[in-house]
Amino acid sequence: MHSYFAPKPTGGPATDVRPQRSVMFRRAVHRAQRTFLAVNAVPFAVGVVLSCTAGLAAAPVHGRLTLGLVWGVLQLGVFAGSVWWYENQVTRVCDPLEQSLVSEAPGASPADESRR
């Protein structure tokens, strides 16, 4: 059985870079997830309130355009924008981490380096 955790050398520095990277990675991903949730929770809550009060959602805004319809389109735009932002954040955070793990892998070849 092969252990993925190498023992720490005695007399060497006590700090390890990998746990610090994983903690930073985890914090960055959780921060992006919290932001994504907060940005989408508020429009969703307003949409629920509008759907519960049919009279308010049916209020005309312009011609046959109602408040509920306008809010639904705005909510869709906010959701699409926040998904785009979230994907960019996670890709920015995860790609360098993945590349560093691949480059440190025992079987990494020079061809792997040239593909990046």
Side-chain angles (χ1 to χ4, degrees):
M1 175 178 256
H2 178 68
S3 174
Y4 289 102
F5 299 103
K8 289 186 180 181
T10 57
T15 60
D16 190 12
V17 177
R18 286 185 192 267
Q20 293 171 357
R21 275 186 176 174
S22 66
V23 169
M24 288 174 31
F25 169 70
R26 190 177 308 117
R27 285 181 184 162
V29 169
H30 284 291
R31 184 174 41 247
Q33 289 172 342
R34 282 192 304 269
T35 304
F36 179 78
L37 179 65
V39 165
N40 286 295
V42 173
F44 179 73
V46 173
V48 168
V49 169
L50 283 176
S51 69
C52 293
T53 57
L56 183 60
V61 174
H62 186 286
R64 293 181 58 191
L65 197 60
T66 63
L67 182 61
L69 185 62
V70 168
W71 190 258
V73 170
L74 287 174
Q75 186 177 0
L76 179 65
V78 167
F79 180 70
S82 64
V83 166
W84 174 80
W85 173 84
Y86 179 77
E87 285 293 321
N88 283 338
Q89 285 294 105
V90 171
T91 302
R92 184 180 60 81
V93 169
C94 292
D95 278 352
L97 180 67
E98 182 180 341
Q99 288 174 359
S100 69
L101 291 176
V102 169
S103 66
E104 293 172 4
S109 66
D112 293 336
E113 296 290 326
S114 65
R115 277 189 251 161
R116 279 188 249 149

